[in-house]
Amino acid sequence: MAIERSCNEWKPFFVMLAIDFAFAIVNILLKKVLEEGIDHLVLITYRLAISAIFLSPIGYFLERPKLTISILCYLFFSAIVGASLTQYFFLLGIQYTSATFSCAFINIVPVLTFIMALPFRIERVNIKRSSGKAKIVGTLVCVGGALTLTLYRGRPLFSSSHSQAVISMSDHATKLNSADRMQNWGLGLICLVLGTLLWSLWFLLQSKIAKRYPCQYSSTAIMCFFGSVQSAALSFSTSRSLSIWILRGRTEIFTVLFAGMVGSGLCYVGMSWCVKKRGPVFTAAFSPLVQIMAAMFDIPILHEQLHIGSLLGSVIVIIGLYILLWGKNKEMQDCAMKVAQEAEQIKEQELKLQVVTVSCESQNP
């Protein structure tokens, strides 16, 4: 019983690690095809549509969902804040600012989710308890590490002529486009703020959906269907050229299939399950790990350079994540102990009532 209980407690942790690992692979594939010129909204539409097609039969045969109009409205809004509009704002933010600056916004999702969850009482913090202090300190340390990871570069740890050539080329391109970026920086900043707020809001909304409609496969399939329709409508409103919808090469086809079935399919199902089990803050706290895992693949595969800032930020993120998870686990243990004590008190009161009743009956002739 103890081993089974321990496995159940750690299962969301391992699920989120697997999700971040899959997201890291998806991000590397997306980075490659975006550099080859695929349209952003077309990629989002295909990705969400494939996810909906992949998950629909699984949800139908395993869950037999019963839908209502209110649930469909929740899922439609979830598609806006968690799929179509969020990805669109982030892609615009990357286009108008820089990838590094955009990562800084993505990595502050845990603290935004934590702050937004407090007024809705989805997440509660008792500062007097060690668990509450650990949750606050862990969130702040995690965000500090994420900002260090993205904003501080430092010296390179490896000497590579290929990486130095890539860095010099990127610096040259940055200088050429600096004037254009300064003009659009304000618009990119607004897009990143909106995208970060929507992504944080999705975790809170998903915790509410999980209580009303606890069918992860079906809810994710419907959300992705709505998201694909929204992305397609947004794409046709910005560009009516049909040539952008043609996938070129095996890399684009494989990326769309993998990102749809795994990235927007199984990963969203896993995140919904983790939100249901541990809450939105626990799930959002793993967001910075995606960048760390992606860097593990970027170095040997894409020959990206590793800098001191990346290593230092990764260590700080892991420490902050450990503190936050310890606080969440301590909070669950305190809650379980409180429930057990209340149950024990109820049993004692029932026994006392039984004794009093027996004594009264024995006194009456």
Side-chain angles (χ1 to χ4, degrees):
M1 289 293 292
I3 297 176
E4 184 179 356
R5 187 181 303 172
S6 178
C7 291
N8 290 331
E9 289 179 358
W10 284 95
K11 193 180 294 183
F13 177 82
F14 292 115
V15 169
M16 284 307 305
L17 287 180
I19 289 172
D20 288 343
F21 182 79
F23 271 143
I25 297 176
V26 169
N27 286 347
I28 291 173
L29 293 173
L30 292 178
K31 180 179 179 180
K32 185 172 180 60
V33 296
L34 286 172
E35 288 176 352
E36 294 176 357
I38 190 172
D39 185 78
H40 294 161
L41 286 172
V42 170
L43 178 60
I44 296 171
T45 304
Y46 279 139
R47 174 181 178 176
L48 295 175
I50 290 172
S51 176
I53 295 171
F54 172 66
L55 293 176
S56 294
I58 301 176
Y60 178 78
F61 288 108
L62 291 182
E63 297 172 338
R64 298 286 182 178
K66 295 180 180 180
L67 293 171
T68 61
I69 297 177
S70 62
I71 294 298
L72 288 175
C73 292
Y74 271 112
L75 293 175
F76 184 83
F77 187 66
S78 176
I80 294 176
V81 301
S84 58
L85 204 57
T86 300
Q87 294 186 40
Y88 180 66
F89 279 133
F90 272 124
L91 290 175
L92 283 179
I94 292 173
Q95 180 181 351
Y96 290 137
T97 58
S98 66
T100 302
F101 189 74
S102 302
C103 288
F105 276 83
I106 296 174
N107 290 330
I108 64 174
V109 167
V111 71
L112 276 179
T113 306
F114 181 74
I115 294 172
M116 293 171 66
L118 291 176
F120 292 101
R121 294 187 177 182
I122 298 175
E123 194 73 26
R124 297 182 180 181
V125 176
N126 190 350
I127 304 178
K128 296 180 180 180
R129 292 183 176 270
S130 59
S131 59
K133 295 177 181 178
K135 286 165 66 177
I136 295 175
V137 172
T139 302
L140 294 177
V141 171
C142 192
V143 172
L147 293 176
T148 303
L149 180 68
T150 54
L151 299 179
Y152 173 66
R153 194 170 189 177
R155 294 183 178 181
L157 297 178
F158 305 106
S159 59
S160 174
S161 59
H162 180 273
S163 61
Q164 289 175 358
V166 172
I167 292 171
S168 62
M169 290 175 62
S170 63
D171 291 341
H172 180 64
T174 302
K175 290 178 181 178
L176 291 175
N177 297 327
S178 59
D180 295 334
R181 287 187 176 182
M182 287 299 296
Q183 293 177 357
N184 298 321
W185 192 270
L187 179 60
L189 180 62
I190 295 173
C191 290
L192 288 174
V193 171
L194 291 175
T196 306
L197 290 173
L198 289 174
W199 185 234
S200 301
L201 182 61
W202 180 83
F203 286 105
L204 303 181
L205 181 63
Q206 198 60 37
S207 64
K208 193 174 185 64
I209 293 175
K211 295 177 181 178
R212 289 174 169 262
Y213 189 69
C215 302
Q216 279 81 32
Y217 291 101
S218 302
S219 63
T220 305
I222 297 170
M223 184 194 73
C224 289
F225 169 74
F226 284 143
S228 64
V229 174
Q230 294 162 1
S231 300
L234 191 60
S235 177
F236 281 115
S237 65
T238 56
S239 175
R240 297 185 179 181
S241 176
L242 297 178
S243 61
I244 62 176
W245 293 90
I246 301 175
L247 297 178
R248 300 174 179 86
R250 296 180 180 178
T251 304
E252 290 187 1
I253 295 174
F254 175 77
T255 300
V256 167
L257 291 174
F258 186 81
M261 290 187 289
V262 179
S264 295
L266 297 178
C267 288
Y268 270 76
V269 171
M271 285 193 298
S272 300
W273 180 81
C274 289
V275 169
K276 179 182 177 182
K277 293 292 183 181
R278 290 295 185 88
V281 175
F282 173 88
T283 309
F286 285 82
S287 299
L289 289 182
V290 177
Q291 188 177 359
I292 297 174
M293 293 184 177
M296 295 170 58
F297 293 101
D298 281 342
I299 296 169
I301 297 176
L302 301 179
H303 304 289
E304 296 285 345
Q305 182 58 270
L306 179 64
H307 294 79
I308 295 177
S310 300
L311 181 61
L312 180 62
S314 301
V315 173
I316 297 174
V317 166
I318 293 173
I319 294 173
L321 184 60
Y322 176 80
I323 296 172
L324 176 62
L325 294 178
W326 181 87
K328 292 287 292 183
N329 187 52
K330 186 70 167 57
E331 186 180 55
M332 290 182 63
Q333 290 178 356
D334 293 341
C335 184
M337 288 179 60
K338 185 177 180 181
V339 171
Q341 290 176 358
E342 290 177 353
E344 191 69 25
Q345 290 177 359
I346 292 172
K347 287 182 179 180
E348 291 178 357
Q349 290 177 359
E350 289 178 351
L351 289 174
K352 290 179 179 178
L353 288 173
Q354 290 177 0
V355 171
V356 171
T357 304
V358 171
S359 62
C360 290
E361 290 178 353
S362 62
Q363 289 177 2
N364 293 328

